[in-house]
Amino acid sequence: MGTPEVGAVGREGFFGLPLALNAGVSPYQVIVEMRGNAHRVRAEAFIRECHRCEDLHEAALTYAGHVLQQAVQAAVCHAFHSLTQRICRWLLVSRACAHSNTIEMTQEFVAQMLGVSRPKVSQALVTLEARRWIHQGHGRIHIVDPKGLQQGSCTCSRPEF
């Protein structure tokens, strides 16, 4: 089992929040889950621009608050909700980040992100597939019924669609 995911960033966000909070280098591990494009900005340039542009710094601080809220909610979710509820929520969040109903991801990776064993994830995904909410393929999960997943998920940071 890996370290559970405590936050997700899609097109709307960025990594390196400790820089916006004047906390220096990020102590967290960042894992890219899905294909996509990204831009990399040197830490010094970001800090310089935050000092120069108050609107950028304000936006970064607002986003930092959002990420902190997401991390706290993830911890509560992990402690109090069933694995099936958490997988439904995680799939919906991944769908929102990917802007796609097909998520290129292995069961092993999902297990790492949720901090559980792969067999448990496999069993939960089979249940979701039997409900016809998803369809699994090798290294991918296709969301067939997002409303079903939403119905089966916990209410932690549930994305709207």
Side-chain angles (χ1 to χ4, degrees), residues 66-146:
H66 168 74
V67 171
L68 178 60
Q69 181 182 11
Q70 192 179 45
V72 169
Q73 192 64 53
V76 170
C77 183
H78 188 74
F80 293 105
H81 296 124
S82 74
L83 178 58
T84 301
Q85 288 176 307
R86 293 181 350 191
I87 287 178
C88 287
R89 183 195 61 81
W90 189 86
L91 288 170
L92 290 170
V93 169
S94 295
R95 175 182 182 260
C97 286
H99 297 279
S100 174
N101 283 330
T102 300
I103 300 162
E104 304 290 333
M105 200 121 348
T106 65
Q107 289 182 3
E108 182 64 36
F109 190 80
V110 174
Q112 289 175 5
M113 293 296 98
L114 295 174
V116 297
S117 68
R118 194 206 52 77
K120 287 182 180 181
V121 166
S122 179
Q123 184 179 18
L125 289 173
V126 166
T127 298
L128 298 181
E129 198 164 27
R131 292 178 185 165
R132 296 194 170 119
W133 292 351
I134 66 165
H135 175 73
Q136 298 184 80
H138 183 70
R140 76 166 174 76
I141 300 168
H142 180 75
I143 297 171
V144 176
D145 184 0

